[in-house]
């Protein structure tokens, strides 16, 4: 009975049922960090633009098993910045910020090259800030995606955020 109970417990712990956003090394696929999410959960990525040297914030939501970009805030037009709104999007200026909202851009994953000097890529989650450099090396490539994790993956899946 004890062995059967252990087998059942081990099998149950292998079932992936924790909805999470996983940040992994882009080259190796090794999990670096993760945080738990539910449908509609929000997170943001903030960085300093390498050319303009001004802050950019990209706002995302978890939508089914993909990442949905819903808003972007920035202070300067130019390389890599939108110049207007696509169909259905709203472009506005509030103070010194340009805000592109009502975005519905979906991504199966986000691939980011972590800035080495200026960018200071930072994850904003539930009022907390997590610099990507706290779980990945500057200059490295990370991939961010929505996954279901099991108990074992949560135990070995890198730094738990949030």
């Amino acid at each position: 009975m004890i062995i059967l109970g252990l087998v059942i417990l081990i099998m149950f712990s292998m079932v992936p049922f924790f909805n999470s956003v996983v940040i992994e090394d882009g080259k190796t696929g090794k999990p670096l960090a993760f945080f738990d999410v539910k449908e509609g959960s929000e997170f943001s990525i903030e960085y300093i633009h390498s050319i303009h040297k001004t802050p950019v914030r990209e706002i995302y939501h978890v939508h089914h098993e993909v990442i949905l970009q819903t808003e972007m805030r920035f202070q300067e037009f130019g390389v890599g910045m939108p110049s207007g709104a696509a169909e259905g999007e709203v472009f506005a200026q509030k103070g010194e910020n340009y805000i592109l909202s009502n975005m519905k851009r979906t991504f199966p994953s986000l691939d980011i090259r972590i800035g080495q000097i200026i960018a200071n890529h930072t994850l904003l989650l539930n009022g907390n800030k997590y610099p990507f450099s706290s779980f990945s090396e500057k200059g490295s490539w990370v991939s961010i995606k929505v996954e279901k994790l099991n108990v074992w993956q949560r135990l070995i899946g890198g730094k738990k955020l949030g």
Side-chain angles (χ1 to χ4, degrees):
M1 280 304 228
I2 293 173
I3 293 174
L4 179 61
L6 285 172
V7 168
I8 291 171
L9 182 62
I10 290 170
M11 287 175 52
F12 182 70
S13 68
M14 299 300 274
V15 176
F17 60 90
F18 293 101
N19 288 327
S20 303
V21 169
V22 178
I23 304 166
E24 59 187 35
D25 182 285
K27 289 182 183 176
T28 67
K30 177 185 174 194
L32 303 170
F34 70 94
F35 55 94
D36 296 328
V37 294
K38 57 186 177 191
E39 181 67 20
S41 291
E42 181 181 302
F43 67 95
S44 300
I45 298 174
E46 192 172 73
Y47 57 93
I48 302 299
H49 194 280
S50 62
I51 296 172
H52 314 137
K53 312 281 190 284
T54 58
V56 177
R57 180 179 290 184
E58 299 175 350
I59 299 165
Y60 300 95
H61 288 85
V62 173
H63 182 65
H64 301 297
E65 295 182 9
V66 297
I67 298 169
L68 175 68
Q69 184 178 17
T70 58
E71 188 173 303
M72 184 177 205
R73 295 171 179 240
F74 56 97
Q75 294 177 355
E76 295 282 333
F77 288 105
V79 177
M81 295 291 100
S83 59
E87 186 176 336
E89 297 177 345
V90 177
F91 196 80
Q93 184 176 6
K94 188 174 183 181
E96 58 185 26
N97 288 307
Y98 297 102
I99 302 169
L100 182 57
S101 61
N102 203 37
M103 298 170 73
K104 294 181 174 86
R105 300 177 187 183
T106 59
F107 302 92
S109 64
L110 298 173
D111 290 322
I112 299 173
R113 178 75 60 181
I114 304 306
Q116 294 184 48
I117 301 169
I118 297 168
N120 193 29
H121 287 89
T122 302
L123 175 71
L124 307 172
L125 178 64
N126 300 325
N128 296 308
K129 293 185 175 193
Y130 302 96
F132 278 77
S133 61
S134 70
F135 48 81
S136 63
E137 292 193 28
K138 292 181 177 188
S140 66
W141 158 38
V142 298
S143 185
I144 304 170
K145 57 188 166 186
V146 179
E147 289 186 351
K148 286 191 180 280
L149 300 179
N150 63 37
V151 171
W152 298 114
Q153 289 168 316
R154 288 172 58 89
L155 290 173
I156 62 170
K159 183 177 184 177
K160 184 174 186 322
L161 308 173

